[in-house]
Amino acid sequence: MVGQVTAAIRSEERDGIAVLIVSGRLDAQAAGQLWRQAFKTARGAQAIALDLSQLEYCDMSGATLLVGLQAAHGGTLPPTGAAPHVDALLQRARIAAKPPAAPPTTRASSGATGTSPFAGIADTIAYLGEVAVAIATLPARRRMLRLPDLLRYADRAGVRAIPLVLLLGFLMGLILAFQSAVPMRRFGADLYVANLVAISLVRELGPLLSAVILAGRTGSAFAAEIGSMKVNQEIDALATMSLDPVTMLVLPRLIAAMLVMPAMVLALDVAGLLGMATVMKAFGYPLITVAHQVQAAASTGDLLGGLFKGMCFGGAVAVIGCRAGLATGIGPSAVGQAATAAVVGGIVATILLDGLFALLFYRLGL
Amino acid sequence: MLRVDRASQRFGSRTIFRDVSFEVAKGEVFAILGGSGCGKSTLLSQLIGLRPPTSGEIAVLDQIVTGPNGAAGRRSMQRRIGVMFQSGALFGSMTLLENIALPLEMFTDLPPEGRDAVARVKLGLVGLSHAAGLMPAEISGGMAKRAGIARAMALDPPLLFLDEPSAGLDPVASAELDKLILDLRHDLGTTFVVVTHELASILAIADRCIVLDRNAYPDGGGTIAVGNPRILRDEATHKMVRAFFRREIPVCPGPACPRPE
């Protein structure tokens, strides 16, 4: 910001010493405008003295400049002509500008704990253990699992997600059917698009997509809610009231997510099959034929397997979301970081689990 | 420096305070006192231009900051005052040094080395030279308060507003802060408006004070006393003022108490 210069520094030679005569009002603005010129003049001289007799006003920024000029030359010659309040300011600035006696501290990132990555793994294992203990001891502490909380989380995680699930499921079925129908029609196998889409949706895409939606909508919300509670010391308050934060905060969310996920998967499957049926109808196949193909391709076992996978994915997303919230650090960015960690962790865990299920189902011949 | 003329604040039908009037002279340390919920922080937010009063006029540094034409005055005033918020309100993504250098960077022509030097002096003034490189998340509440004062002083404003500066500080740190306020007033002629509960601090530093009470009027809060806090402590006849300064439980709290002195 350029403003009117309210102070001036000129140099005069007196007895072989460069005397810097400071005049006018030396405030932060003026100090900014004169800073480099003043240091250039001071450094070019053999010895300097400060004449402050024409200085009308000086604030702490101005005092910092004057003290800095003295320091640049060893600070041997005291300023002359300074008004008492300017002298007091210079003295205060000199003391304040002294380097700290304590060893210099290093800059660290917000919320960083400075511990090894293995500590994080150990914490995660400990957390999983706490969740397992909380589940095992729940029958003895049923009062801690509040039904209104459970219903509220189920509503937020599941019921309110249904429109999105239906929309995405319908579009996914539509796109899958359309994209696979074009090449399959070249082989006269376009009828089997119904089989392909049915198996893909019921066995894989239904649970996977539902879990991704849950991670994006609900996992991040769990992390942000619990993270905010941690920042506000609400979790400490729970602990001091002998209320187990895992039982009070994690279990209702975990149970809610596991309960709503099969419903979400089922809704997505149905919407996807409707999307596929729309394409098949456009290709001239009657709906009854499409229904027969779906029935032949996807068994009840496939459907139940998909629903079971969805339930497990829901549990993983909830556990990871809550874990991210409980591990929230300090500072304004910590809650955002927790929400991001919840979404990324939830999606990665879902895909890893899906791979495990593929292996398991193959071995079991399902 | 500051003139408040019949400022009022209502939220719906609820009157937080009404007809609050006072003036603050240059170089004065003025305290805004009162019990919880009497509207101290609301009044402060009016003074610093964050909330317009429901009615009344406020002039800060000779600029009228209220009314339909107050926006320009508010912007100009906000560049020339310093505010320390209760929590420090430091920017979490910057070190303490960067927090204090920010206003210098925005509003002066100081080169980077100059900003650094001035910011270090400001940190030194509040005893935080050793913490220049720390992030706000890494310091204690008391340190954050002191850093907040250093940032408020970055541009050496003639008028500083401090919201609960001593709250949460140990007695020694609180006394040091009081001394810093008096030193700055002495050396720079800075005027202070302090919102606080700390009786010891009020009696040590405030030249004058206003005492608000949420039951000053039958329909809401307002002023119950204005004056020198030491005189009010010794001579006040208003029961709520006496209760506040002498830490007594008031005999007749509420609208039945005497009218403002």
Side-chain angles (χ1 to χ4, degrees):
Chain A
M1 194 181 76
V2 179
Q4 193 186 352
V5 183
T6 55
I9 296 181
R10 61 193 166 81
S11 174
E12 256 180 32
E13 185 84 8
R14 292 182 200 162
D15 306 328
I17 295 171
V19 179
L20 297 180
I21 303 163
V22 188
S23 58
R25 292 179 60 81
L26 190 59
D27 57 11
Q29 276 294 342
Q33 287 154 346
L34 297 174
W35 192 279
R36 286 196 163 149
Q37 178 219 328
F39 272 91
K40 197 174 162 190
T41 309
R43 286 194 186 111
Q46 290 292 323
I48 66 157
L50 288 171
D51 181 348
L52 307 181
S53 56
Q54 294 172 40
L55 188 62
E56 295 165 21
Y57 170 82
C58 176
D59 68 9
M60 197 51 83
S61 302
T64 306
L65 169 61
L66 297 177
V67 168
L69 284 174
Q70 280 189 298
H73 250 282
T76 47
L77 293 170
T80 56
H85 80 277
V86 174
D87 247 347
L89 266 186
L90 290 177
Q91 185 59 25
R92 198 174 296 285
R94 252 177 237 122
I95 295 167
K98 272 185 188 164
T105 48
T106 52
R107 179 179 174 158
S109 67
S110 171
T113 56
T115 48
S116 74
F118 296 108
I121 295 169
D123 286 348
T124 304
I125 292 169
Y127 166 70
L128 290 175
E130 283 179 48
V131 173
V133 169
I135 292 170
T137 56
L138 187 61
R141 302 190 288 177
R142 278 196 303 275
R143 190 180 290 189
M144 280 199 191
L145 186 71
R146 300 176 70 241
L147 189 64
D149 285 350
L150 183 65
L151 294 177
R152 194 170 71 241
Y153 297 135
D155 175 55
R156 279 194 212 156
V159 179
R160 294 186 195 197
I162 288 293
L164 181 66
V165 166
L166 291 175
L167 177 71
L168 290 188
F170 183 82
L171 291 175
M172 191 53 63
L174 197 97
I175 294 162
L176 260 181
F178 190 77
Q179 293 290 354
S180 47
V182 175
M184 286 178 79
R185 186 166 234 189
R186 290 169 58 192
F187 303 104
D190 45 352
L191 177 63
Y192 294 101
V193 166
N195 304 47
L196 187 150
V197 173
I199 292 173
S200 313
L201 270 175
V202 171
R203 287 182 69 108
E204 288 297 331
L205 286 176
L208 261 181
L209 263 179
S210 301
V212 170
I213 293 170
L214 190 81
R217 272 189 87 256
T218 310
S220 57
F222 285 173
E225 279 170 13
I226 297 177
S228 301
M229 290 179 76
K230 179 144 189 228
V231 170
N232 294 333
Q233 291 189 299
E234 291 172 48
I235 292 174
D236 294 342
L238 280 177
T240 54
M241 288 187 277
S242 283
L243 298 171
D244 177 28
V246 173
T247 310
M248 292 286 289
L249 303 176
V250 179
L251 284 197
R253 288 171 171 85
L254 171 65
I255 295 170
M258 291 182 78
L259 282 179
V260 297
M261 265 300 274
M264 285 170 68
V265 174
L266 197 61
L268 198 136
D269 288 348
V270 171
L273 292 176
L274 283 176
M276 176 270 291
T278 308
V279 174
M280 296 301 282
K281 180 83 178 151
F283 279 118
Y285 289 100
L287 287 179
I288 188 70
T289 311
V290 176
H292 278 303
Q293 289 301 117
V294 170
Q295 207 174 5
S299 65
T300 312
D302 292 331
L303 181 67
L304 291 178
L307 298 183
F308 177 72
K309 279 201 316 192
M311 197 165 75
C312 296
F313 294 165
V317 166
V319 165
I320 287 169
C322 295
R323 159 75 181 147
L326 288 171
T328 300
I330 309 165
S333 59
V335 175
Q337 286 168 356
T340 307
V343 175
V344 173
I347 292 173
V348 170
T350 298
I351 292 170
L352 285 176
L353 271 179
D354 196 40
L356 279 177
F357 275 122
L359 197 67
L360 189 69
F361 286 0
Y362 174 74
R363 289 279 182 192
L364 294 174
L366 294 171
Chain B
M1 293 300 273
L2 177 69
R3 179 174 55 79
V4 180
D5 187 16
R6 297 173 68 85
S8 302
Q9 181 68 55
R10 278 184 287 279
F11 294 122
S13 61
R14 199 160 60 96
T15 301
I16 304 301
F17 56 78
R18 69 174 169 90
D19 297 335
V20 170
S21 299
F22 62 92
E23 288 190 16
V24 180
K26 186 175 184 321
E28 213 174 17
V29 177
F30 188 87
I32 299 173
L33 317 176
S36 300
C38 69
K40 297 188 299 294
S41 296
T42 307
L43 177 61
L44 180 69
S45 64
Q46 289 182 355
L47 300 180
I48 60 179
L50 293 181
R51 177 192 296 280
T54 314
S55 62
E57 187 179 90
I58 295 172
V60 183
L61 299 172
D62 302 324
Q63 302 262 357
I64 292 177
V65 299
T66 50
N69 302 319
R74 221 164 25 243
R75 277 195 297 277
S76 160
M77 172 273 284
Q78 283 171 337
R79 289 260 296 274
R80 297 190 292 143
I81 62 168
V83 183
M84 188 220 83
F85 292 93
Q86 197 170 346
S87 62
L90 300 168
F91 303 119
S93 57
M94 300 178 186
T95 62
L96 297 196
L97 193 74
E98 288 166 346
N99 260 284
I100 287 136
L102 183 70
L104 296 166
E105 186 182 345
M106 294 293 126
F107 298 117
T108 73
D109 296 326
L110 281 166
E113 68 274 17
R115 292 199 293 269
D116 196 75
V118 173
R120 280 182 194 282
V121 164
K122 300 289 156 70
L123 275 175
L125 280 178
V126 295
L128 289 177
S129 303
H130 62 284
L134 293 182
M135 304 297 284
E138 297 169 324
I139 61 175
S140 68
M143 288 169 81
K145 250 181 221 294
R146 285 188 280 156
I149 293 180
R151 191 180 62 184
M153 295 191 315
L155 292 167
D156 293 300
L159 178 57
L160 265 175
F161 292 91
L162 310 180
D163 190 4
E164 301 280 6
S166 311
L169 297 186
D170 63 75
V172 174
S174 179
E176 282 173 356
L177 201 59
D178 290 346
K179 184 174 181 304
L180 176 69
I181 291 169
L182 292 177
D183 286 347
L184 288 172
R185 189 261 292 270
H186 179 262
D187 295 344
L188 292 168
T190 309
T191 307
F192 288 88
V193 175
V194 185
V195 174
T196 182
H197 280 302
E198 304 287 321
L199 265 182
S201 179
I202 295 159
L203 295 169
I205 63 170
D207 301 308
R208 288 191 314 126
C209 67
I210 182 169
V211 188
L212 302 178
D213 185 67
R214 60 180 172 179
N215 295 313
Y217 298 100
D219 61 341
T223 310
I224 52 172
V226 180
N228 182 308
R230 288 160 291 277
I231 295 174
L232 288 176
R233 177 195 56 188
D234 298 334
E235 299 174 12
T237 53
H238 191 292
K239 289 189 176 172
M240 292 306 288
V241 179
R242 286 164 59 96
F244 188 88
F245 280 101
R246 297 180 189 180
R247 305 184 66 173
E248 295 169 350
I249 297 167
V251 178
C252 67
C257 282
R259 306 291 303 161
E261 302 185 340

